[in-house]
Amino acid sequence: MTAAEAAERWPGLRLPDEYAALFDPLGGVLFSERCLEALKAASLRQGATLLIGGPVRELQVRPGEVVLEWEGRRLVAENLVITLGAGAGTFLRRWFPEWRIPVQPIRKTVAWFRCSHRGPSDAPYYRADGFPGYLVETDEGTYYGFPDFGEGVKVGRHDGGEPCDMESVNRNFHARPQDQQVLRDFLGRFLPYANEFQRGSVCLYTMTPDEHFVVDTHPEYAHVAVGAGFSGHGFKFAIVMGDILARMVEHEEIPYDLSPFRASRWASDSQ
Ligand SMILES: Cc1cc2nc3c(=O)[nH]c(=O)nc-3n(C[C@H](O)[C@H](O)[C@H](O)COP(=O)(O)OP(=O)(O)OC[C@H]3O[C@@H](n4cnc5c(N)ncnc54)[C@H](O)[C@@H]3O)c2cc1C
């Protein structure tokens, strides 16, 4: 639809005249914490044991076996699947230095803003029953967010951000003046009534150079697999990625072409 049609449908949205809008009626928003709780409950029902705690202290990989020292315990397993998000790079460099996987954590900020203005039906402009999840490609960056489910409109910037490492990153939302300012600047132009800051948060993307995932087995140990570098768009694929990684280490058939996700796609860069 045109910018004018979009503005008519969502009066809280301002788009420059030359912009076009694409609305996907099947699009939606996942409540990630609830998804994780549901996945946890489902895995427990299937007989999984969840061990939650600190870092691995020792790791030995042998043909057909992995031995971990963790929280004072010795764990022996047939397979190992590594999915550590922003911690993947540090872990892989320490335990698998030969396995070159270029993943870079990037510090990002997101924030929630309330709407200062009500629409014609006396409803705030950005409420979830009348406003969609959005992604806007502007001339200076790509921004995304969710409608107001009760705590304000969510907004974040998808591109940009600050390279960091997971251990020392500054997780204080107000650490940099731009933490809030870039989000305010975007909202001021595109969602101008979302102007009452509620809260902000720092999170980490784990980027690869081509922004595609790494889903692969170790070049030498077929019972060790990694899922990493989800580059800010991995959550919605979590279930299928879990299925693929489990099939990989179990040597089961995988009905997808995974060649775009091989770790070896950068092999020539490091020579
Ligand atoms: C602000 C933000 C917005 C996002 N929005 C979207 C979106 O709209 N859609 C989408 O699809 N994706 C989105 N993502 C990306 C998505 O969250 C990730 O791609 C996804 O969570 C990656 O899953 P993962 O299991 O690889 O890592 P994570 O979810 O980060 O899980 C890794 C876990 O490993 C733990 N860990 C790390 N290192 C160690 C260690 N050494 N020892 C033990 N445990 C360790 C961590 O604490 C964490 O619990 C967003 C990410 C951010 C930060």
Side-chain angles (χ1 to χ4, degrees), residues 1-3 5-6 9-10 13 15 19-27 132-137:
M1 61 184 84
T2 63
E5 287 164 343
R9 180 158 186 174
W10 300 291
L13 181 66
L15 294 179
Y19 277 41
L22 181 70
F23 175 60
D24 178 358
L26 297 179
Y134 61 90
L135 184 134
V136 185
E137 289 181 358

Side-chain angles (χ1 to χ4, degrees), residues 30 32 36 53-56 70 82-91 95 106 108-110 112 144-146 154-158 166-167 171 201-206 213 227-238:
L30 293 171
S32 53
L36 294 177
V56 167
W70 173 85
I82 302 161
T83 55
L84 295 175
T90 308
F91 184 91
W95 300 109
I106 302 282
K108 315 286 285 189
T109 57
V110 293
W112 287 259
Y144 69 94
F146 299 152
K154 180 178 176 180
V155 60
R157 181 168 174 171
H158 182 64
M166 195 176 125
E167 294 74 26
R171 291 187 184 265
S201 170
V202 169
C203 73
L204 305 182
Y205 276 11
T206 311
F213 314 155
F230 287 100
S231 302
H233 59 117
F235 192 85
K236 62 183 108 23
F237 300 106

Side-chain angles (χ1 to χ4, degrees), residues 47-48 55-56 65 85-86 92 99 106 130 132 134 147-148 156 163 178 181 184 204 207 210 247:
V56 167
E65 188 181 74
L92 291 168
W99 200 6
I106 302 282
Y134 61 90
D148 184 353
Q178 64 270 28
Q181 197 54 48
R184 267 193 183 284
L204 305 182
M207 304 302 290
D210 59 11
R247 285 168 186 264

Side-chain angles (χ1 to χ4, degrees), residues 49-52 55-58 67-76:
T49 303
L50 301 178
L51 301 174
I52 297 168
V56 167
R57 297 285 172 211
E58 192 56 60
V67 182
L68 294 174
E69 269 183 40
W70 173 85
E71 300 278 331
R73 297 171 66 170
R74 185 168 180 271
L75 305 174
V76 182

Side-chain angles (χ1 to χ4, degrees), residues 111-115 150-153 184 195-200:
W112 287 259
F113 287 80
R114 274 201 204 284
C115 176
E151 57 173 351
V153 187
R184 267 193 183 284
N195 53 13
E196 291 175 5
F197 175 74
Q198 299 300 299
R199 70 180 179 94

